[in-house]
Amino acid sequence: YVTANSKWEKNDLTYRIENTTPDLSPGRVRRILSDAFKVWSVVTPLTFTEVMHSDADILIQFSEGYHDDGYPFDGKGSVLAHAFFPGNSKGGDTHFDDAETWTFNSTDGVDLFMVAAHEFGHALGLAHSSNTEALMYPWYQGYTDNFRLPYDDVQGIQTLYGSPSNRLPNTPRPPIVVPDNRDRDRGGEAPITPRPTHPPTKDDTPCTGNIDAITVIRKEIFFFKGSKFWRRGPNGLAAKPTEISKFWYNLPSDGIDALYERSDGKITFFKGDRFWVFSSNHMVTNFPVEGRRITELGVGKNVKKIDAVFTWPYNKRTYLVTGDMYWKLNAKEDFIEYDYPRDMSIWKNVPVPLDSAFKYWDGKTYFLKGDQYWEFYDNKMRTRKKDGRPIGRLLGCHNGELKSDMTLR
Amino acid sequence: APAASYQDATDWYRQREQQMVTYLGEFGYIHDASREAGPAGLTSKEAYTAAIKRLQRFAHLPETGVVDRRTLELMERPRCGNKDELDETQDSSRRRHKR
């Protein structure tokens, strides 16, 4: 057996079934899932209580394809389900691929009980075992009459929680151990905090951070905050900020979310669920004024905005980032590649959700969040330093103000 | 079935190899970072072969290090979507430490 790096720090857990599969009646699904939890509760001090309307430790859902967690399902066959290790947010959540035909005690489909019992093992902190007899063996082995939890799994789960006699007194405990990193362990995610809004005020300079978008266009660095943008070239800062909509006509006047300069020199802007393509400061011919939907690029319908977009010098490919997920655009930059989205933890130490990201003059990639920035170290696939540095150094600020005579390093 | 021509055989093999890279990345045998940077980047031929062997060992198949028939059959089998191999960055307890 193999244990993950997180476990629940309480014994009494709750779960909520968010939806069921049409293949089985809702009542049957509830009973099967309850029985699957019993597999684990009989050998540990853990208890599992179904809740209907309140928040729960473990959320269970049936879904198809992309379902908002960075791990889209692949249709019938192959991947049947997945579950997140204990943690906050998505921790413990268990998802079944509804493209499968779910059955119970039958060879005519995939046995829900066996898969659920396996997935709940992950939700409690067990990883895959290479023991072919184990429930936690990753490949589906069909259904078994009168299933009993194999020894390997009993050992594994009791390593984490002890045997039933170890039941703790029912006193309030901190809910969970949260791993100190948010790597791709299906063990929770970094907390998603909404980006603060920036009403344009006199004091609201880029030096205080919270940059909406940043990029380099024809050797000038453009940074956007609220309804304005600033530009700094090799000779210093342009005298005044400019209203976005007075320079790029027909863009939303209240600011943008992200932009980048394409390989053909055109500029793509993102705002909400739309994007626009400009050639210099004119929208390309026949491009709809209201913009095109980002779903036309292949991102999921439930993606409401793009946080950041950047071209990675390492492979010269363009990436879109939203929350803790990212996509790679194809070489023509008109659609996302197969096998995305992926989890942002691959970009080690990059904070999420990002404010913006860009490729700088020095050929390096920088990620921005709040009042800090992180330089990315391509060959190690991590940020050069774990902690961010003050954003003013990147933008050319001194004493909290943009300095016109400062040239960037 | 025997391939119609050398070109067909080569295409077939390349396609399977690409499937294998995707599979190895999806289930944790190639580190996520290597997966993003691509085969020309952080994953050498040796690392790729070692990853196939680790998969074969995990599944109790002969460790040939190549995409053979048994390995292809294994890839066709339905399974859990969680990774088999935890990235060392994910599991601090399994990391090596200096004494």
Side-chain angles (χ1 to χ4, degrees):
Chain A
Y1 65 87
V2 178
T3 57
N5 64 347
S6 64
K7 57 173 277 198
W8 298 99
E9 286 298 320
K10 59 182 180 181
N11 284 336
D12 300 314
L13 298 168
T14 55
Y15 66 95
R16 194 174 75 219
I17 302 168
E18 303 209 290
N19 64 346
T20 60
T21 170
D23 302 336
L24 297 163
S25 72
R28 172 58 73 89
V29 170
R30 286 183 62 205
R31 277 198 302 281
I32 292 170
L33 297 179
S34 170
D35 288 346
F37 276 118
K38 273 186 200 142
V39 165
W40 300 104
S41 62
V42 296
V43 296
T44 62
L46 299 171
T47 68
F48 302 97
T49 307
E50 184 183 355
V51 296
M52 295 285 191
H53 305 293
S54 55
D55 201 12
D57 301 309
I58 297 169
L59 301 182
I60 299 166
Q61 65 169 248
F62 291 80
S63 46
E64 286 191 54
Y66 172 80
H67 54 282
D68 205 20
D69 68 356
Y71 305 95
F73 283 129
D74 54 1
K76 199 173 179 67
S78 199
V79 170
L80 306 174
H82 57 224
F84 293 80
F85 293 138
N88 58 5
S89 188
K90 285 186 260 188
D93 290 359
T94 303
H95 303 158
F96 299 94
D97 187 352
D98 215 8
E100 310 301 336
T101 305
W102 294 103
T103 61
F104 179 64
N105 265 3
S106 163
T107 52
D108 293 338
V110 181
D111 191 86
L112 180 59
F113 170 80
M114 295 303 295
V115 175
H118 173 102
E119 297 306 329
F120 294 156
H122 290 313
L124 299 177
L126 287 179
H128 282 148
S129 168
S130 63
N131 184 329
T132 53
E133 303 297 316
L135 175 64
M136 296 313 293
Y137 189 63
W139 287 277
Y140 178 65
Q141 316 245 46
Y143 79 96
T144 311
D145 281 333
N146 300 319
F147 174 79
R148 282 192 61 193
L149 191 61
Y151 182 65
D152 183 69
D153 305 295
V154 175
Q155 276 197 310
I157 202 69
Q158 290 188 346
T159 301
L160 293 174
Y161 299 101
S163 60
S165 58
N166 294 41
R167 170 157 275 283
L168 293 169
N170 199 9
T171 50
R173 294 283 300 269
I176 45 173
V177 170
V178 181
D180 63 358
N181 61 47
R182 54 170 188 81
D183 288 315
R184 193 174 182 179
D185 58 357
R186 298 173 187 261
E189 58 172 9
I192 303 289
T193 48
R195 185 186 295 189
T197 53
H198 317 296
T201 64
K202 196 175 177 182
D203 300 327
D204 200 11
T205 82
C207 297
T208 57
N210 299 318
I211 300 294
D212 290 336
I214 186 167
T215 199
V216 171
I217 301 171
R218 295 177 196 168
K219 298 188 179 173
E220 273 188 285
I221 178 171
F222 286 68
F223 37 103
F224 296 73
K225 187 168 180 177
S227 62
K228 298 190 179 81
F229 74 90
W230 290 255
R231 51 199 288 189
R232 185 187 282 281
N235 299 322
L237 184 77
K240 285 182 178 177
T242 309
E243 290 289 334
I244 298 169
S245 56
K246 288 182 180 166
F247 190 82
W248 283 288
Y249 302 113
N250 296 318
L251 275 184
S253 59
D254 59 342
I256 60 165
D257 294 332
L259 84 160
Y260 78 106
E261 185 182 35
R262 299 187 342 179
S263 53
D264 60 5
K266 295 191 174 72
I267 308 155
T268 303
F269 293 85
F270 293 87
K271 169 74 174 179
D273 64 352
R274 307 278 170 151
F275 71 97
W276 294 259
V277 179
F278 278 72
S279 179
S280 188
N281 65 338
H282 297 283
M283 202 177 290
V284 297
T285 312
N286 296 330
F287 202 90
V289 174
E290 68 277 14
R292 287 168 56 190
R293 292 187 186 279
I294 54 177
T295 48
E296 291 182 46
L297 296 172
V299 300
K301 282 181 187 164
N302 46 356
V303 175
K304 299 301 176 208
K305 67 189 278 285
I306 300 296
D307 291 338
V309 54
F310 64 96
T311 300
W312 191 26
Y314 187 84
N315 58 6
K316 299 183 176 58
R317 300 295 287 273
T318 301
Y319 291 84
L320 310 178
V321 187
T322 291
D324 58 358
M325 291 182 287
Y326 72 96
W327 296 259
K328 182 164 76 177
L329 288 178
N330 63 11
K332 288 166 65 183
E333 298 176 289
D334 61 358
F335 205 76
I336 59 165
E337 291 259 339
Y338 166 76
D339 200 25
Y340 288 83
R342 292 180 181 173
D343 196 283
M344 272 303 286
S345 60
I346 291 169
W347 305 81
K348 195 166 166 58
N349 297 334
V350 172
V352 292
L354 278 171
D355 284 345
S356 47
F358 75 119
K359 180 183 79 173
Y360 204 6
W361 293 331
D362 57 9
K364 292 173 182 165
T365 307
Y366 292 86
F367 295 93
L368 282 65
K369 180 181 172 69
D371 59 0
Q372 296 188 309
Y373 76 93
W374 287 256
E375 177 190 330
F376 199 69
Y377 187 4
D378 295 343
N379 289 335
K380 301 254 182 182
M381 277 304 283
R382 61 169 171 80
T383 57
R384 193 164 288 275
K385 292 197 184 330
K386 191 171 184 182
D387 297 325
R389 307 179 80 183
I391 208 164
R393 298 173 65 145
L394 192 70
L395 303 180
C397 300
H398 186 67
N399 288 338
E401 286 184 12
L402 282 166
K403 289 294 171 192
S404 59
D405 55 345
M406 280 180 75
T407 50
L408 301 181
R409 68 189 177 82
Chain B
S5 67
Y6 173 76
Q7 187 59 44
D8 285 349
T10 308
D11 290 348
W12 182 89
Y13 187 75
R14 280 205 188 118
Q15 205 178 344
R16 293 298 171 272
E17 198 164 55
Q18 187 52 49
Q19 280 179 346
M20 192 76 218
V21 170
T22 304
Y23 193 91
L24 293 170
E26 189 169 359
F27 299 115
Y29 294 92
I30 293 176
H31 285 199
D32 289 327
S34 307
R35 198 175 158 210
E36 191 56 61
L42 307 176
T43 306
S44 63
K45 181 72 182 166
E46 290 75 23
Y48 171 66
T49 304
I52 296 176
K53 283 188 177 179
R54 285 201 304 278
L55 169 70
Q56 291 167 333
R57 191 180 316 140
F58 198 96
H60 303 273
L61 300 181
E63 293 178 39
T64 60
V66 295
V67 189
D68 54 22
R69 178 182 56 78
R70 290 184 187 86
T71 310
L72 283 173
E73 283 172 4
L74 180 79
M75 288 164 59
E76 297 292 319
R77 282 179 61 184
R79 57 161 294 152
C80 171
N82 284 37
K83 292 179 177 183
D84 301 336
E85 290 212 344
L86 298 180
D87 192 320
E88 64 172 16
T89 56
Q90 296 168 11
D91 195 351
S92 55
S93 64
R94 299 174 74 205
R95 261 184 244 165
R96 295 179 65 197
H97 293 284
K98 278 186 183 173
R99 291 188 181 173

